[in-house]
Amino acid sequence: MSSHPHSPAKESVIDLLGMLAYGELVAFDRQAIDARLAPDLRRRAQLSTMAADEIHNYRQLVARITELGADPQAAMKPFVHVIDAFHDSTAPRNWLEGLVKAYVGDSIADDFFREVAGLLEPADRDLVLEVLHNEDHAEFAVTEITAAIADNPAVAHRLALWARRLVGEALSQAQRVAAEHDSLTLLIVEGTGDLAKVGELIKRLMQAHAERMTTIGLNN
Amino acid sequence: MSSHPHSPAKESVIDLLGMLAYGELVAFDRQAIDARLAPDLRRRAQLSTMAADEIHNYRQLVARITELGADPQAAMKPFVHVIDAFHDSTAPRNWLEGLVKAYVGDSIADDFFREVAGLLEPADRDLVLEVLHNEDHAEFAVTEITAAIADNPAVAHRLALWARRLVGEALSQAQRVAAEHDSLTLLIVEGTGDLAKVGELIKRLMQAHAERMTTIGLNN
């Protein structure tokens, strides 16, 4: 059935795309709400635009799930609980927390999907690479965060704690996904080679995250 | 200064575009929230997509305001209060109310802007006509609303009352805009010819609205 020996099962791919799709739908929803925390209309519109882009990605993912013969709602459903739990536990209390969340979350998600894309067949790989976030988003977040820290260095410590909490919550939900969804775990374990390789993947993600935090002054 | 005798003052055009732009930004925000009322993920994504399209329009309007040499934030600011007041007084309590609001509001707004576009010079006219809502949105809303009424005819009466309230609130906020913003009032009065013509314009908008309500079974 598969086009090469390590090509992942269709079921795993649908799971992955379903998880991504629901992630996009919720990212839209949460960023749209977080936009209200903006100090002015220009910034509010900027985060609203970032939110709107997630819906564009959502639509592409849903189109691919349908193309693979699956029902997008059914594909998303197993991930509703865990993704909602992440967002419920990490609702930003102010504009900067919202931006840090968008930046940290989008960056780790992009790194993860860039790695996973390499395990997929061309059509799915291209799609997953296409729904990575726009560089503009990261630039906007970095500019805002570094300006806020320059303005008041005390916010760096608070935001660093916040970023750590975001990552902690994300890892704990990721563990739940791994435990509950054998097909996804299998996709990654078989794709990377073995469990040790999965450990290395997580290490790479955390390393890249730490470097980003240092760059924007949130390593304290 | 003007290219033909009745071309509106630049200040009036900037006011109009500012009002439209803030209207789009808030429409995004409210529809994003209303999407949460959807009974399933497919419908939720549909309203989220409608919301995302408003941001696309917002960006075009802001680009034109900037092109005209004005500050988009300053152009929007005078309309924040009145547009927020409309939405605060018409927060949908359920999915169908949200859809009726999107449908009624978008349709009247589109009719209004189609009329006003005719009073503008080509560049602004084309832009205003371009940010009219996608036909898909109306079709989706009409399908959902008529299906819900077919399913339970009792909802028609409730939704008809709701639609009437929406129009009442919209008219009362429109009167405030007219009273507070001479430049906009002037644009319309001078563009249409006289106050009687403005009355006819409002009559046409209400007539088209009534016909839409009859079509979807909300005329009772």
Side-chain angles (χ1 to χ4, degrees), chain B residues 43-57:
Chain B
R43 289 180 172 90
R44 175 169 158 189
Q46 187 83 32
L47 197 57
S48 299
T49 302
M50 289 165 67
D53 286 348
E54 311 280 3
I55 280 294
H56 178 73
N57 293 342

Side-chain angles (χ1 to χ4, degrees), chain A residues 83-124:
Chain A
I83 293 175
D84 282 355
F86 168 73
H87 285 286
D88 287 343
S89 65
T90 58
R93 287 160 304 180
N94 56 52
W95 170 243
L96 286 172
E97 285 191 0
L99 271 188
V100 168
K101 181 175 172 181
Y103 178 60
V104 166
D106 289 358
S107 304
I108 296 180
D110 285 357
D111 285 349
F112 173 71
F113 289 115
R114 218 175 277 117
E115 297 257 8
V116 171
L119 314 177
L120 303 176
E121 299 195 46
D124 299 308

Side-chain angles (χ1 to χ4, degrees), chain B residues 17-84:
Chain B
L17 299 178
M19 180 175 74
L20 248 177
Y22 188 69
E24 297 281 2
L25 189 58
V26 179
F28 162 80
D29 178 56
R30 301 299 174 125
Q31 287 176 15
I33 288 170
D34 296 347
R36 291 187 165 193
L37 300 167
D40 58 45
L41 292 175
R42 184 183 67 80
R43 289 180 172 90
R44 175 169 158 189
Q46 187 83 32
L47 197 57
S48 299
T49 302
M50 289 165 67
D53 286 348
E54 311 280 3
I55 280 294
H56 178 73
N57 293 342
Y58 168 85
R59 290 170 67 105
Q60 289 185 278
L61 290 161
V62 159
R64 178 66 182 153
I65 294 169
T66 308
E67 203 176 83
L68 290 171
D71 171 47
Q73 286 203 67
M76 287 187 275
K77 213 175 165 199
F79 303 100
V80 167
H81 187 60
V82 69
I83 292 175
D84 283 354

Side-chain angles (χ1 to χ4, degrees), chain B residues 175-203:
Chain B
Q175 275 166 347
R176 264 177 79 186
V177 170
E180 290 170 9
H181 300 277
D182 291 347
S183 77
L184 272 183
T185 314
L186 220 62
L187 186 158
I188 293 172
V189 174
E190 288 188 343
T192 49
D194 57 42
L195 266 178
K197 291 267 170 48
V198 176
E200 285 166 27
L201 186 158
I202 294 171
K203 214 168 142 188

Side-chain angles (χ1 to χ4, degrees), chain A residues 4 14 34 71 94 184:
Chain A
H4 68 90
I14 290 167
D34 296 347
D71 171 49
N94 56 52
L184 271 184

Side-chain angles (χ1 to χ4, degrees), chain B:
Chain B
M1 301 286 265
S2 304
S3 62
H4 67 91
H6 295 294
S7 66
K10 196 170 149 188
E11 187 202 328
S12 304
V13 174
I14 289 167
D15 269 352
L16 180 74
L17 299 178
M19 180 175 74
L20 248 177
Y22 188 69
E24 297 281 2
L25 189 58
V26 179
F28 162 80
D29 178 56
R30 301 299 174 125
Q31 287 176 15
I33 288 170
D34 296 347
R36 291 187 165 193
L37 300 167
D40 58 45
L41 292 175
R42 184 183 67 80
R43 289 180 172 90
R44 175 169 158 189
Q46 187 83 32
L47 197 57
S48 299
T49 302
M50 289 165 67
D53 286 348
E54 311 280 3
I55 280 294
H56 178 73
N57 293 342
Y58 168 85
R59 290 170 67 105
Q60 289 185 278
L61 290 161
V62 159
R64 178 66 182 153
I65 294 169
T66 308
E67 203 176 83
L68 290 171
D71 171 47
Q73 286 203 67
M76 287 187 275
K77 213 175 165 199
F79 303 100
V80 167
H81 187 60
V82 69
I83 292 175
D84 283 354
F86 168 72
H87 285 286
D88 288 342
S89 65
T90 58
R93 287 160 303 179
N94 56 52
W95 170 244
L96 286 172
E97 285 191 0
L99 271 188
V100 168
K101 181 174 170 180
Y103 178 60
V104 166
D106 289 358
S107 305
I108 296 180
D110 285 358
D111 285 349
F112 173 71
F113 289 116
R114 218 175 278 118
E115 296 257 7
V116 170
L119 314 178
L120 303 176
E121 297 194 47
D124 300 307
R125 177 166 61 229
D126 292 348
L127 173 62
V128 169
L129 290 176
E130 204 180 316
V131 300
L132 298 181
H133 295 84
N134 195 320
E135 270 302 307
D136 294 357
H137 296 187
E139 271 169 39
F140 172 69
V142 169
T143 306
E144 288 284 306
I145 296 162
T146 48
I149 293 172
D151 212 44
N152 175 11
V155 304
H157 180 64
R158 262 196 300 117
L159 291 179
L161 282 178
W162 169 244
R164 231 171 290 155
R165 208 179 113 211
L166 290 172
V167 172
E169 292 288 344
L171 283 175
S172 101
Q173 298 304 336
Q175 275 166 347
R176 264 177 79 186
V177 170
E180 290 170 9
H181 300 277
D182 291 347
S183 77
L184 272 183
T185 314
L186 220 62
L187 186 158
I188 293 172
V189 174
E190 288 188 343
T192 49
D194 57 42
L195 266 178
K197 291 267 170 48
V198 176
E200 285 166 27
L201 186 158
I202 294 171
K203 214 168 142 188
R204 280 196 299 279
L205 296 181
M206 290 304 100
Q207 182 61 31
H209 165 71
E211 280 163 18
R212 279 189 300 271
M213 293 301 96
T214 302
T215 307
I216 61 171
L218 295 187
N219 60 332
N220 58 341

